Amino acid sequence: MQGWRAAAAALMVAIVLGVPAADAAELRLPVAEGAVDRISVTARARGCERALMTVSVGGRLHKTVGFGRRWRRATIVFDPAPFAADVALAATRCRLKVRRVTAVPRTAPVALGTAVTLKHVADERYATTLSANFASVTTENELKMDQTQPRSGEYRFENADRLVGWAAARSLPVRGHALVFGTQTPRWVWHQRQFPDMVRKTLRDHITTLVRRYGDRVREWDVVNEAIGHEGDWRSNAFYAALGPEYVEESFRAARHADPTAKLFYNEIGADLANPKQDAMFAMVGDLKAKGLIDGVGFQMHVSIHEGPSYEQLRATLERFAALGLEVQITEMDVDADGLSAPEERLARQAQVYADAGRACRAVPACTRFTVWGVADHVSWLQPGKVPLLFDSSFAPKPALEALRLALQSPPGA
Ligand code: XIL
């Protein structure tokens, strides 16, 4: 314990920006990549009695700080730690003379999230376990198109509203999942596939309607889910059949346009190991990033105790995508623990698989969240009887919970 505390303390050493004492209307943060716990700015007003500095995160105002004619140091604390590239500082009223800006890289643990589904939130033990152990939620099915627009132009938001409201009442940030997902697209879109213009309109209307409706409460969206096949080919779905690969960019454009400050993700299954799917995804998201249309990439990680990437492999994957300037997240992890060995052995191995993934995320500053696909074994989407999650069917914590928690708060790279 002592050892990692000391290492964490060493990491606290602030990165100092070589900002010359200069007038500034807009300031750049000293770190462009990774998350930051806090920043401090030493500055004074120039040209008026009192200048204001606005601090925005993801395009939304976080705080306003006043500076008079004398040098003053102001510290701005973030909780949760935002991705540094999302933080913008600007002087208003008059200019600021800035002596230095320092930023402390994230030292807090990576946030742990879970999938949530409406049918379970009424269960007291489910709700309590979720609130006490998870810092964010992903809607498991309620925001998918087959549920939100089961018939053309007929939107149904009752379930999504209730679930998003439930999360908001507990101050749990919501990841919106997923605006465009071939598998859970209603059949009527497939019937439109001979008419590309019609499908394009369907796609735009759907995305715009959801992103606008939940704008305040859902700040992060999986815009497109599982577009790529195992060989790096395109998976067939109604949107692809009508529009070809272009549907992906079209989707991101519509989401960006509907809410320029929401965080937009591409989410994929089975791309955590270096393989043709990962390569195709890398090329695709690189192109979207170059066009300013995407903010992050999610790796689902539905794995088992018998396969799944090692710490080194996953870390390399996360670093590869982070190098594009994207956030990366583990978005749907579960670890199937079926096998012939003794149950305790399998649960110990499961803990190890979760911990390896957690350490890999912790080691990469751009890895901003770690989400598991469900609260407890009996609510898992996998077949009944499987035990892939962090709590057992009586909501008792499994070895994997403690192992993952430690991994997510370990010093990066340990
Ligand atoms: C699953 C849900 O958990 C199930 O309840 C539903 O029946 C099917 O979809 N990858 C994804 C998720 O991106 O949306 C899937 O969720 C699991 C695999």
Side-chain angles (χ1 to χ4, degrees):
M1 209 65 171
Q2 286 306 338
W4 77 256
R5 285 243 167 85
L11 270 166
M12 297 270 293
V13 175
I15 299 173
V16 180
L17 174 69
V19 188
D23 287 351
E26 275 181 31
L27 309 174
R28 281 178 63 83
L29 268 196
V31 278
E33 284 177 21
V36 284
D37 274 347
R38 62 178 179 274
I39 57 174
S40 57
V41 182
T42 307
R44 63 182 174 83
R46 194 190 159 103
C48 66
E49 284 302 313
R50 197 169 162 76
L52 292 180
M53 185 184 75
T54 61
V55 182
S56 315
V57 175
R60 296 191 168 210
L61 182 63
H62 172 77
K63 201 172 177 156
T64 304
V65 189
F67 291 89
R69 297 188 73 92
R70 296 197 171 167
W71 289 111
R72 172 185 169 218
R73 192 173 124 190
T75 299
I76 297 107
V77 178
F78 303 104
D79 182 20
F83 201 50
D86 289 339
V87 179
L89 311 177
T92 57
R93 260 201 216 158
C94 63
R95 296 176 79 79
L96 276 169
K97 190 154 177 124
V98 180
R99 196 148 66 187
R100 78 169 17 181
V101 182
T102 64
V104 176
R106 179 182 64 194
T107 53
V110 176
L112 178 61
T114 178
V116 66
T117 186
L118 189 62
K119 67 174 182 249
H120 296 299
V121 296
D123 176 346
E124 188 67 37
R125 286 184 311 164
Y126 176 96
T128 319
T129 307
L130 195 162
S131 308
N133 293 281
F134 297 96
S136 67
V137 291
T138 301
T139 53
E140 188 167 345
N141 290 303
E142 287 77 357
L143 284 170
K144 289 171 179 170
M145 192 176 185
D146 56 359
Q147 297 219 9
T148 49
Q149 200 185 167
R151 287 185 210 182
S152 176
E154 282 182 29
Y155 287 93
R156 292 217 191 122
F157 290 123
E158 299 80 17
N159 289 346
D161 284 355
R162 281 169 59 202
L163 189 57
V164 170
W166 182 88
R170 284 156 188 79
S171 305
L172 288 164
V174 178
R175 296 193 82 250
H177 174 82
L179 295 168
V180 179
F181 180 17
T183 315
Q184 284 174 276
T185 300
R187 196 77 200 155
W188 61 264
V189 187
W190 181 250
H191 297 310
Q192 292 184 341
R193 71 190 182 286
Q194 313 286 3
F195 309 99
D197 287 343
M198 198 183 269
V199 173
R200 189 175 289 109
K201 183 172 181 329
T202 295
L203 188 71
R204 284 187 189 156
D205 287 351
H206 183 77
I207 293 173
T208 307
T209 304
L210 268 79
V211 171
R212 293 237 165 107
R213 181 178 183 91
Y214 294 103
D216 287 344
R217 289 165 294 166
V218 177
R219 306 299 310 134
E220 204 169 295
W221 288 96
D222 286 332
V223 178
V224 178
N225 192 33
E226 299 184 13
I228 302 170
H230 291 306
E231 301 307 322
D233 49 328
W234 291 97
R235 282 180 70 171
S236 160
N237 62 47
F239 299 109
Y240 181 77
L243 304 172
E246 200 195 304
Y247 87 91
V248 175
E249 183 173 329
E250 190 78 51
S251 303
F252 277 90
R253 271 193 200 286
R256 198 50 119 212
H257 188 250
D259 182 353
T261 67
K263 262 188 199 170
L264 307 183
F265 278 72
Y266 176 74
N267 197 49
E268 189 54 272
I269 190 167
D272 25 71
L273 280 173
N275 56 26
K277 182 187 269 195
Q278 187 187 100
D279 290 343
M281 171 170 155
F282 186 77
M284 187 187 83
V285 299
D287 180 51
L288 291 170
K289 172 69 183 166
K291 292 171 176 159
L293 297 174
I294 190 173
D295 305 296
V297 169
F299 297 88
Q300 296 185 10
M301 295 205 66
H302 297 288
V303 299
S304 85
I305 55 173
H306 308 291
E307 45 83 42
S310 66
Y311 163 76
E312 287 80 11
Q313 287 168 324
L314 183 59
R315 180 176 174 167
T317 294
L318 299 178
E319 281 171 345
R320 182 182 191 200
F321 285 81
L324 290 172
L326 293 168
E327 270 184 52
V328 289
Q329 295 188 359
I330 308 304
T331 48
E332 304 186 14
M333 189 151 177
D334 47 24
V335 183
D336 189 334
D338 277 3
L340 296 175
S341 52
E344 310 79 66
E345 254 173 62
R346 284 185 275 125
L347 292 187
R349 173 72 196 133
Q350 180 181 58
Q352 185 66 46
V353 173
Y354 271 112
D356 285 347
R359 283 194 303 130
C361 174
R362 188 70 179 96
V364 179
C367 189
T368 47
R369 199 188 297 285
F370 192 112
T371 300
V372 298
W373 205 239
V375 175
D377 286 337
H378 62 295
V379 306
S380 160
W381 71 302
L382 299 175
Q383 292 152 32
K386 298 237 184 217
V387 292
L389 295 168
L390 304 177
F391 289 85
D392 72 15
S393 302
S394 320
F395 294 101
K398 293 162 62 183
L401 179 70
E402 185 62 6
L404 178 57
R405 270 208 192 127
L406 280 175
L408 294 178
Q409 64 187 31
S410 62

